[in-house]
Each structure stands twice: as structure tokens, then as C-alpha cells.
Amino acid sequence: MKLIDGKAVAATLREEIASEVEAIVGGGGRAPHLVAVLVGTDGASETYVGHKERCCGEVGFRSTVRRLPETTTEEELLTLIGELNDDPQVDGFIVQLPLPGHISEQAVIEAIDPRKDVDGFHPMNVGRMTSGLPAYVSATPEGILTLLKHYNIETAGKNCVVVGRSNIVGRPMANLLSQKGWDCTVTICHSRTENLKEIVAGADIVIAALGKAEFVTADMVREGAVVIDVGITRTPSSATKSGWKLTGDVKFDEVAPKCSYITPVPGGVGPMTIIALMRNTLRAAKNEIYGN
Ligand code: GUN
């Protein structure tokens, strides 16, 4: 069994981005600028945005967090999005999800200029991605592909089972792995899937992205499978400084011995997601996807 060290791969890629930013700034250019919009005080969202902000600092990006109260109306949020769309000093921005229940996430996502949609959530980017066109791609699937490539994991012709059908992870992941170049035979499982255990047990590559702690157990995994764990369930813990412990969607201790490769939680997919967002922001600053 080989552990996929997302933290180490992310550190290498961070250095590469930092060098590129240094060259841009050294040549008289402006540092890429990422804005994160955070509505309300969801603890997990605060943590994720904090990680993104820290990484921006490490690679030399300018970073701004726009904090809005839980009571913000949809109209007020849409007004801010309009301002960010029009601001030439902002290269890319994200609106951290989930949003309070009174705000339509879809309306918000569709209001973002696709050129600044570094989360890759806008239907324009989703549609371009599914058509195999240049697009901003959702950071978690992009980060996972980078890991598979880094470890030279063979995907062509392999049976890949994606557990979870979210717009952010499961569906883009399944689509990308089925595309030319990756060439997987992909199955998506979800809460209504029958014989889920048997389907997962037939997989060469398992992507666990359903958000249920320790859902994937040893009896569901074939000997020699590659297991990618996207889960990050936070549970209270007295053993950590933060008071939280992160648990993946995979029962790591019993699944790991059966795997050829597996990602840990934390230190697997999470750091790669942040790096993919940094890369998208750098692309936005260079107008790489949509041109000038
Ligand atoms: N909530 C959970 N993951 C994400 C993400 O990648 N981007 C945003 N905007 N919100 C999230």
C-alpha cells in the first residue's frame, strides 16, 4: 500500500506557483488577486476560507475576504457580486458555500462572471468542462486528477466508481475521468443506488465523495484498488488544538491494507483542492481560459 501524500505534492506545486508570481511581480506586473465572499459564520466555511487566505499569502497572491452577516439578502449579495465582476483589480472570486437558506445558491453562481469564476461552478464553465473545452474546473476534482497524474496511476480502461453526485465533486469528477486522456469506465453511485457495496467492490478506482464519515469499509473494496477519500466530516475532539477532528468517507485503518494507493484525511485531497483554486486564480490573472 502506498500513501498518496497530497500535502507534499501541494507543497511542490505551491513553490511553482510562487515562482511564477514572483516573476510576474518582478517584471512589473500585479500580483493575482483572489476574493472570497463569506456569508454568515459557519465554522467549517471559516476554516476553509482561512486555509485559502493563508495559501494566497504563501504563493504571493493578494487576498481579500468579504465577510457578510447571516442576514444579508440575496439582492445585497448579488450587488456585491456585480461589483466584483466589474472590479479590474479582482482576478477571481469565490462565494463560499453553503449559503444561508434564504439565498438561492444557483442565482448566486449564475451571477458570477464566468471569467472570474475560479471555483468553476458557473454553468458556462461546467458546460465547457463537460464538452472538453478550456474551462475553470471545480478545484477538488482538478486536485484529484493532479494527484493521479503525479503518482502515475493508470486510469485508461479502469473501472472507476464515484460515490456521491454533488455538483462540486461527484459529477465533475465522473465526467472528467470519462474523458479522453483519462479514459475510465465510470459509474456514479448515490443514495438511491441499489447494490452499492457490490458496485464499489468491482472498482479499480474508488472516489468516495458522499460526506458520510467512514462509509467505505474493507468489505466494499477490492484488493489492489486505488481509493481517493474526499470526505471531511468534522467531529469534536479533545485531542486536537482546534477542538475538531477530520474524518474521511473511508474507514482508513481497515481499507488501507487492501489498497495499492490511498489518500489520508487530512493531508490527501484537501491540500490539493486549495492548490487547484490557486492555479485557477493564476489562470484568471493571465486570462488563460477566455483570453482578453
Ligand atoms: N464549499 C465546499 N467546498 C467549496 C468550494 O470548493 N468552493 C466554495 N465556494 N464553496 C465550497
Side-chain angles (χ1 to χ4, degrees), residues 36-37 42 44-45 48-49 52 93-99 105 109 112 117-121 138-141 168-169 232 273-274 277:
V37 180
D42 178 74
S45 293
Y48 301 149
V49 168
K52 291 167 189 174
F93 65 98
I94 64 164
V95 179
Q96 188 67 26
L97 304 178
L99 289 169
E105 290 189 351
I109 288 168
I112 298 172
D117 171 39
V118 285
D119 257 332
F121 294 170
S138 184
T140 300
I168 295 181
V169 185
I232 32 167
T273 296
I274 295 179
L277 177 67

Side-chain angles (χ1 to χ4, degrees), residues 117-136:
D117 171 39
V118 285
D119 257 332
F121 294 170
H122 190 283
M124 169 87 101
N125 282 313
V126 176
R128 289 176 63 95
M129 180 274 289
T130 60
S131 302
L133 295 168
Y136 294 112

